[in-house]
Amino acid sequence: DIQMTQSPSSLSASVGDRVTITCRASQSISTHLNWYQHKPGKVPEVLIYVASNLQSGVPSRFSGSGSGTDFTLTISSLQPEDFATYYCQQSYNIPYTFGQGTKLEIK
Amino acid sequence: QVQLVESGGGVVQPGRSLRLSCAASEFTFSNYAFHWVRQAPGKGLEWVAIISYEGKNKYYADSVKGRFTISRDNSKNMVYLQMNGLRTEDTAVYYCTRDGSWYFDLWGRGTLVTVSS
């Protein structure tokens, strides 16, 4: 199985900050990497698919990059509604696997 | 509107069975593969199973293989997860998700399964 490792596991930041979350795969997954946002009591939502494609309706302050084994999710200017847990997920091989999550909290 | 709605969760004793259902609406159901993804209390997301658009291909996480069965009924726009031999570690919110070509593009609100004696 492909292991996905996110860093950091938690992060404190302020509104307006630029934030980067990284995700590393245990083997090459080309660009089969997706990012999800999950808020407490809400349904997870895809932000970025296939490494760098912004899902329709997602604000342009979110961006994704990477290929092979190393990927990043960047939020260019944090907004209050962005405080949530973020997960990366690979769809290169079954079983699809998620990273352990990055909890983004208000500083 | 376009949505997935899960049902069938509840409290069940270890070793017993439960069947989850997922009702899809307002899109061409038979064009899509579907997954079940779960989240245990205080834990992250875990992929559980996938079924192909026509129902022929099914794959499972090792943690549920041999105990869980995913199925679908394209005439009813329904996806199911039959869970047998439930364990306490299966306690989680179970989400039905649509496969939008290598990513989960639509999620239901989830149904809570609690396995406890």
Side-chain angles (χ1 to χ4, degrees):
Chain A
D1 297 0
I2 298 174
Q3 307 302 315
M4 307 301 294
T5 304
Q6 286 180 236
S7 61
S9 295
S10 62
L11 175 60
S12 293
S14 301
V15 172
D17 284 353
R18 180 183 180 89
V19 167
T20 298
I21 299 169
T22 65
C23 180
R24 175 165 289 177
S26 59
Q27 67 182 73
S28 177
I29 58 171
S30 183
T31 56
H32 292 273
L33 190 284
N34 310 305
W35 291 97
Y36 300 86
Q37 178 191 67
H38 193 193
K39 298 179 181 179
K42 301 289 188 180
V43 176
E45 295 184 348
V46 62
L47 301 172
I48 303 289
Y49 62 95
V50 193
S52 60
N53 295 276
L54 190 68
Q55 175 71 343
S56 175
V58 173
S60 59
R61 62 181 179 273
F62 291 94
S63 63
S65 65
S67 66
T69 61
D70 295 311
F71 301 86
T72 60
L73 172 70
T74 300
I75 309 172
S76 60
S77 178
L78 269 176
Q79 298 302 301
E81 61 268 29
D82 299 338
F83 292 94
T85 299
Y86 293 84
Y87 294 93
C88 63
Q89 173 253 328
Q90 66 82 17
S91 55
Y92 184 77
N93 269 350
I94 289 174
Y96 291 171
T97 43
F98 290 89
Q100 79 278 17
T102 295
K103 187 172 185 179
L104 181 52
E105 298 176 306
I106 302 173
K107 184 183 286 184
Chain B
Q1 72 269 28
V2 174
Q3 65 177 356
L4 300 170
V5 179
E6 303 93 337
S7 60
V11 180
V12 62
Q13 293 179 328
R16 303 300 288 260
S17 299
L18 208 58
R19 188 176 86 152
L20 305 183
S21 300
C22 171
S25 54
E26 300 297 329
F27 62 92
T28 307
F29 179 80
S30 58
N31 284 354
Y32 294 90
F34 288 88
H35 305 255
W36 288 95
V37 173
R38 68 184 181 182
Q39 184 175 36
K43 303 293 185 182
L45 299 171
E46 180 189 15
W47 176 83
V48 173
I50 179 177
I51 186 165
S52 60
Y53 71 96
E54 83 282 48
K56 288 185 178 178
N57 297 306
K58 308 171 187 181
Y59 300 95
Y60 301 91
D62 285 346
S63 57
V64 307
K65 200 174 296 181
R67 300 187 299 122
F68 289 13
T69 302
I70 190 171
S71 62
R72 65 189 293 162
D73 185 336
N74 284 355
S75 68
K76 296 181 179 178
N77 290 358
M78 296 290 296
V79 182
Y80 305 99
L81 187 68
Q82 177 67 42
M83 305 185 295
N84 298 332
L86 283 161
R87 304 168 180 168
T88 55
E89 56 264 36
D90 295 319
T91 294
V93 175
Y94 285 74
Y95 297 100
C96 176
T97 72
R98 188 178 73 177
D99 190 309
S101 294
W102 302 302
Y103 65 102
F104 309 126
D105 71 339
L106 180 66
W107 296 64
R109 298 193 64 83
T111 187
L112 176 62
V113 173
T114 302
V115 184
S116 173
S117 54

